[in-house]
């Protein structure tokens, strides 16, 4: 009987790993043939013990070497793309993409950096002085109603800043003249959320203070910006407006017309599009921040980043910029 097993073992050739494992269990497993034979050994008459033992050992060696040999053979036949193949190409990693508001903010900041503006930041929780009073918003003046404010702990002196103009004041207080800064940041207004407005959005503020700064300097800088950002033949228009902290004040519009050659336009239709507020810094504002209005003058401007982003990418609803829906965000991969 042992000889028959030996013949079977020597003839064995597995087709796959499962067959090899079945073979191993059949001969070498706990309840396998060899353990069975070792148990029988005790009952074998003494004079036959030697021959029986030798036959069992031959069978054991044959089974063990067959398992080892076929195991390494099957290993070699494994396909190249096994888990251990270090030459296998990696799985792609999702790299993410910049948010459209960040793309536009960075581009605008870069445009102003190229003509000597440096970047400033201020706190998002602001006191009344920096957000309103130093900017010439009189106490109880209806101008404060222009901006519905989120107060902190119902303390009238602390609020979430309603505009980045507060950074103008902080920098005029902190820096030596001349001052040429750009201040991007988040602002907050207690407004109903709709497709056109949100209670949180981003602004970019600009401020230039020096001797003999004129409205012509403001206009030329804004024309440069408009042509860099919207296209080389963009036309701008400055329309009289009102802000407590600038005098004179204006709104800048760009002509969103069909004749522009280099434009990023995706929306149909033409017309003047409002892009930002601006003006000459009011002498009272310079004075409040410790700058002598008889020696220095300056201009300031402020624009909403979401608005410009929506125009550039033809985004119909501002809320899409705050939802973090991957299907939306994925589309801006590679656009910067
Ligand atoms: N702070 C103004 C706003 O929030 C914009 C502005 C900034 C206007 C600087 C003039 C000068 O609308």
């Amino acid at each position: 009987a042992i000889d028959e097993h030996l013949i079977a073992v020597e003839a064995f050739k597995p087709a796959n790993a499962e067959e090899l494992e079945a073979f191993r269990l059949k001969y070498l497993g706990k309840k396998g043939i060899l353990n069975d034979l070792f148990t029988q050994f005790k009952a074998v008459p003494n004079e036959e013990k030697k021959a029986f033992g030798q036959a069992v050992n031959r069978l054991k060696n044959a089974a063990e070497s067959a398992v080892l040999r076929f195991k390494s053979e099957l290993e070699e036949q494994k396909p190249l793309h096994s888990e251990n193949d270090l030459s296998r190409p990696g799985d792609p990693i999702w790299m993410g993409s910049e948010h459209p508001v960040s793309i536009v903010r960075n581009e605008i900041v870069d445009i102003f950096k190229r003509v000597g503006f440096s970047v400033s930041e201020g706190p998002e929780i602001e006191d009344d002085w920096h957000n309103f009073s130093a900017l010439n918003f009189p106490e109880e003046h209806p101008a404060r109603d222009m901006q519905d404010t989120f107060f902190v702990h119902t303390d009238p002196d602390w609020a979430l800043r309603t505009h980045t103009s507060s950074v103008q004041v902080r920098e005029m207080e902190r820096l030596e003249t001349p001052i040429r800064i750009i201040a991007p940041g988040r602002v907050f207004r207690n407004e109903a959320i709709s497709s056109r407005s949100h209670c949180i959005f981003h602004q970019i503020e600009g401020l230039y203070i020096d001797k003999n700064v004129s409205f012509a300097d403001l206009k030329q800088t804004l024309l440069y910006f408009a042509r860099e950002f919207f296209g080389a033949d963009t036309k701008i228009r400055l329309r009289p407006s009102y802000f407590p902290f600038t005098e004179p004040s204006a709104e800048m519009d760009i002509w969103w017309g069909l004749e522009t050659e280099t434009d990023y336009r995706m929306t149909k239709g033409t017309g003047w599009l409002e892009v930002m507020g601006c003006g000459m810094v009011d002498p009272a504002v310079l004075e409040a921040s410790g700058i002598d209005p008889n020696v220095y003058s300056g201009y300031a401007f402020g624009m909403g980043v979401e608005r410009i982003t929506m125009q550039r990418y033809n985004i119909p609803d501002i809320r899409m910029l705050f939802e973090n829906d991957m299907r939306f965000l994925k589309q801006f991969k590679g656009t910067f």
Side-chain angles (χ1 to χ4, degrees):
I2 298 178
D3 286 344
E4 271 168 37
H5 284 312
L6 194 60
I7 289 164
V9 165
E10 277 166 355
F12 173 70
K13 191 168 169 27
N16 52 43
E18 288 74 44
E19 277 185 37
L20 179 61
E21 180 60 6
F23 172 86
R24 191 187 65 80
L25 287 172
K26 181 177 174 191
Y27 288 95
L28 301 164
K30 260 206 189 95
K31 290 174 185 161
I33 288 166
L34 277 154
N35 263 349
D36 207 37
L37 289 169
F38 284 126
T39 318
Q40 287 172 33
F41 185 75
K42 289 171 207 142
V44 170
N46 276 344
E47 60 276 17
E48 288 170 31
K49 267 199 158 78
K50 190 179 173 193
F52 186 88
Q54 281 173 346
V56 172
N57 274 331
R58 256 201 311 281
L59 179 63
K60 184 175 178 246
N61 290 336
E64 281 177 350
S65 68
V67 168
L68 280 178
R69 181 158 44 88
F70 289 125
K71 201 176 164 214
S72 62
E73 256 177 42
L74 286 171
E75 204 75 54
E76 278 165 30
Q77 287 168 16
K78 267 197 183 162
L80 264 181
H81 286 238
S82 79
E83 277 175 73
N84 306 321
D85 177 12
L86 299 182
S87 67
R88 184 180 167 186
D91 292 326
I93 297 165
W94 168 246
M95 296 297 285
S97 54
E98 267 192 293
H99 193 280
V101 168
S102 300
I103 295 170
V104 168
R105 186 246 281 125
N106 292 344
E107 192 173 323
I108 294 171
V109 166
D110 280 348
I111 288 170
F112 285 103
K113 274 188 180 171
R114 292 205 285 276
V115 288
F117 286 78
S118 53
V119 177
S120 287
E121 275 180 22
E124 293 180 345
I125 298 174
E126 198 45 285
D127 55 27
D128 179 90
W129 172 254
H130 292 96
N131 196 81
F132 291 121
S133 293
L135 287 165
N136 209 27
F137 285 77
E139 212 69 52
E140 309 300 334
H141 189 280
R144 284 181 195 247
D145 297 339
M146 283 167 70
Q147 312 192 329
D148 306 292
T149 309
F150 284 118
F151 288 97
V152 178
H153 296 311
T154 66
D155 180 339
D157 199 44
W158 288 95
L160 299 179
R161 66 179 175 196
T162 60
H163 53 181
T164 45
S165 299
S166 56
V167 186
Q168 281 187 42
V169 179
R170 289 192 172 271
E171 294 302 61
M172 283 191 283
E173 289 171 344
R174 189 176 73 91
L175 297 171
E176 298 292 322
T177 47
I179 297 166
R180 190 169 7 215
I181 55 120
I182 195 97
R186 267 200 304 191
V187 301
F188 309 83
R189 290 186 194 175
N190 195 354
E191 273 176 15
I193 296 171
S194 72
S195 65
R196 305 300 307 170
S197 69
H198 207 282
C199 58
I200 301 176
F201 58 102
H202 297 78
Q203 285 188 331
I204 296 179
E205 192 85 6
L207 174 71
Y208 176 41
I209 309 281
D210 204 347
K211 288 172 179 154
N212 302 315
V213 178
S214 73
F215 199 88
D217 297 318
L218 170 63
K219 189 173 177 185
Q220 196 59 34
T221 305
L222 295 185
L223 179 63
Y224 154 77
F225 161 72
R227 292 191 164 167
E228 289 292 307
F229 188 83
F230 294 102
D233 38 19
T234 301
K235 289 196 193 86
I236 66 165
R237 164 175 97 171
L238 291 169
R239 208 161 22 83
S241 184
Y242 174 76
F243 300 100
F245 37 93
T246 47
E247 183 59 37
S249 303
E251 297 283 346
M252 185 185 92
D253 300 337
I254 60 159
W255 177 253
W256 205 243
L258 287 170
E259 66 264 40
T260 41
E261 267 168 41
T262 41
D263 68 30
Y264 297 95
R265 220 155 12 99
M266 297 171 97
T267 40
K268 300 281 172 291
T270 62
W272 289 105
L273 171 78
E274 189 182 308
V275 170
M276 69 175 98
C278 60
M280 301 307 291
V281 179
D282 192 298
V285 172
L286 293 173
E287 206 152 13
S289 303
I291 293 173
D292 185 348
N294 298 310
V295 181
Y296 291 98
S297 58
Y299 63 68
F301 55 85
M303 61 190 110
V305 184
E306 278 76 4
R307 223 178 127 60
I308 296 174
T309 305
M310 288 167 74
Q311 180 65 23
R312 164 168 284 189
Y313 295 117
N314 197 21
I315 298 166
D317 190 318
I318 195 172
R319 289 168 289 201
M320 296 175 99
L321 296 168
F322 294 90
E323 282 164 352
N324 289 330
D325 186 327
M326 292 287 276
R327 292 167 301 179
F328 173 73
L329 295 176
K330 261 156 94 168
Q331 299 176 72
F332 298 91
K333 219 175 155 75
T335 51
F336 57 94

